[in-house]
Amino acid sequence: MVSERGKSNMSPVKKVGSLEIVEDLKFQKREWDFERAGWVVMAVLVLLGVLGLFGDGPISQAEQTSPGGLKISYERFERRTNPTLLELEFPPEAVQNGQLHWWINREYVKRVQVDGIFPDPEQVETTADRIIYTVNVPDAAGPILVKLNVSAEKGGRLPVEIGWLDGDTLIFNQFIFP
Amino acid sequence: MEPVLHAVALYIILMLIFRIAGKRSLAQITTFDFVLLLVIGEATQQALVGKDFSMTNSILLIVTLVGIDVGLSLIKQRFEKVEKWLDSTPVILVDNGKLLNERLKKARVDASDILSKARELQGLERLEQIKYAVLEPSGGITIIPKEK
């Protein structure tokens, strides 16, 4: 028993002059409108990309300074697996007995892959919620530069807490696009 | 789970982008269009494969993508509306030698494209020799010559 149901769901074949064709001008017009709307969305997306919404740009580049003089520059937005740099400058006051003890929250280190730390720490300690790096600073004449190269393994919000022991803390978020 | 999710997401996004770009964008008209498609292939591959070079990952991705294709083809068979939105419909661009200018403009096809196809497919010389020229869902142009 051949069912006719299947046939009625297929596109109706129209006849235009001598041509049998499945043309649907009403639909076609909507499709063209949809195309044009889509172009606007695409243009906005590209513009946002250039401006840095997805990393690397004015919207994304951020700097913070703590009251005690800790400066950090970082990217607010980044893309998954793309390397990103956290650049810190610790004030000379942060140095105690020729050493700088700076720390970062464990949650952040858990969620990213650390590609490199400059300078190489003398010592690394882990506590319940922090990773503490110790750097030798024999002559604390100016701000001490610390660079952290990381890449995020998963998308989402990354909370960052960074500072020096018994000193200032900077707290901010990074958002990682998938 | 990730390869499957990424494959599905990319399939949907690519389909959306190419539907927005229009029928002609897939027709591979110039050498540059061909190059562009290659580059798009490379960009997509990076996101899908990443650092995972296992055979399992590749097979999983391919099966997922082909699976979506098959699944959609079944849905298209059942629901005419879905077929229209996914595949688009043909549009008549030339009717008995007359260019339908409004449609040509919207479809971003010009007379030289049509004449070129007329020469290629039917060996026709002039517009008046064309009975119908149709822009197919694939982006190609088909020509029906006037009967002698």
Side-chain angles (χ1 to χ4, degrees):
Chain A
M1 201 164 62
V2 179
S3 156
E4 291 291 277
R5 238 179 92 242
K7 264 201 179 157
S8 67
N9 281 328
M10 302 293 265
S11 297
V13 179
K14 276 169 52 194
K15 210 161 179 210
V16 178
S18 66
L19 198 59
E20 280 184 6
I21 190 172
V22 185
E23 195 186 41
D24 184 346
L25 277 188
K26 221 173 79 172
F27 167 83
Q28 188 58 76
K29 194 181 173 304
R30 278 170 57 198
E31 184 190 275
W32 281 328
D33 290 339
F34 171 76
E35 271 180 31
R36 274 144 182 80
W39 298 347
V40 174
V41 172
M42 278 168 62
V44 169
L45 218 73
V46 171
L47 184 65
L48 288 176
V50 167
L51 289 176
L53 180 62
F54 307 110
D56 306 316
I59 295 181
S60 174
Q61 252 296 319
E63 274 177 28
Q64 277 195 39
T65 309
S66 77
L70 170 57
K71 280 202 213 146
I72 185 169
S73 82
Y74 63 97
E75 297 275 342
R76 280 193 197 98
F77 300 105
E78 193 45 88
R79 304 173 293 277
R80 200 188 77 122
T81 74
N82 196 42
T84 190
L85 175 66
L86 272 72
E87 198 171 293
L88 297 125
E89 275 185 14
F90 290 88
E93 294 78 54
V95 179
Q96 293 153 359
N97 300 324
Q99 285 190 325
L100 168 69
H101 305 277
W102 68 274
W103 61 270
I104 189 164
N105 59 330
R106 186 172 167 276
E107 186 61 32
Y108 188 71
V109 179
K110 194 167 152 199
R111 309 246 224 118
V112 305
Q113 178 173 292
V114 179
D115 297 321
I117 303 184
F118 169 87
D120 253 345
E122 285 298 312
Q123 191 180 300
V124 183
E125 278 173 49
T126 62
T127 68
D129 50 358
R130 293 179 180 182
I131 318 282
I132 306 170
Y133 299 94
T134 302
V135 174
N136 283 344
V137 189
D139 178 17
I144 299 107
L145 176 68
V146 171
K147 297 200 318 187
L148 195 60
N149 271 299
V150 303
S151 45
E153 299 180 322
K154 287 197 155 77
R157 193 179 64 93
L158 291 180
V160 190
E161 288 173 34
I162 214 166
W164 79 86
L165 228 46
D166 304 320
D168 287 358
T169 304
L170 283 174
I171 301 179
F172 57 91
N173 285 315
Q174 285 184 311
F175 186 80
I176 310 294
F177 285 96
Chain B
M1 181 172 80
E2 232 180 54
V4 175
L5 287 182
H6 285 183
V8 173
L10 257 147
Y11 188 105
I12 294 173
I13 291 169
L14 279 171
M15 167 150 301
L16 208 64
I17 292 177
F18 277 104
R19 292 297 277 117
I20 290 174
K23 288 198 264 275
R24 290 295 272 171
S25 67
L26 282 174
Q28 254 177 273
I29 311 149
T30 64
T31 318
F32 181 75
D33 289 320
F34 176 67
V35 170
L36 191 65
L37 250 98
L38 285 179
V39 172
I40 292 174
E42 286 292 305
T44 313
Q45 178 232 313
Q46 277 289 86
L48 281 180
V49 171
K51 293 181 233 171
D52 188 343
F53 300 136
S54 66
M55 211 171 68
T56 309
N57 191 39
S58 289
I59 293 174
L60 192 58
L61 287 170
I62 294 168
V63 170
T64 305
L65 290 168
V66 175
I68 300 175
D69 229 27
V70 171
L72 283 180
S73 73
L74 291 171
I75 297 178
K76 279 189 283 186
Q77 251 197 326
R78 186 92 170 56
F79 299 104
E80 167 205 328
K81 263 206 161 183
V82 175
E83 179 170 19
K84 280 199 184 149
W85 277 106
L86 288 178
D87 291 347
S88 190
T89 53
V91 191
I92 299 174
L93 294 178
V94 174
D95 190 340
N96 274 307
K98 198 174 69 137
L99 293 169
L100 301 175
N101 286 307
E102 254 271 340
R103 302 185 190 190
L104 283 167
K105 206 174 99 165
K106 279 283 174 84
R108 289 169 285 145
V109 174
D110 51 25
S112 73
D113 293 331
I114 302 203
L115 288 168
S116 168
K117 269 294 166 170
R119 286 191 294 274
E120 182 189 325
L121 295 175
Q122 299 289 349
L124 298 177
E125 294 170 350
R126 300 177 304 278
L127 210 52
E128 59 178 14
Q129 293 173 308
I130 300 176
K131 191 173 188 191
Y132 293 111
V134 178
L135 176 61
E136 302 293 346
S138 65
I141 298 172
T142 49
I143 308 281
I144 314 260
K146 273 207 180 120
E147 285 128 32
K148 285 283 163 48

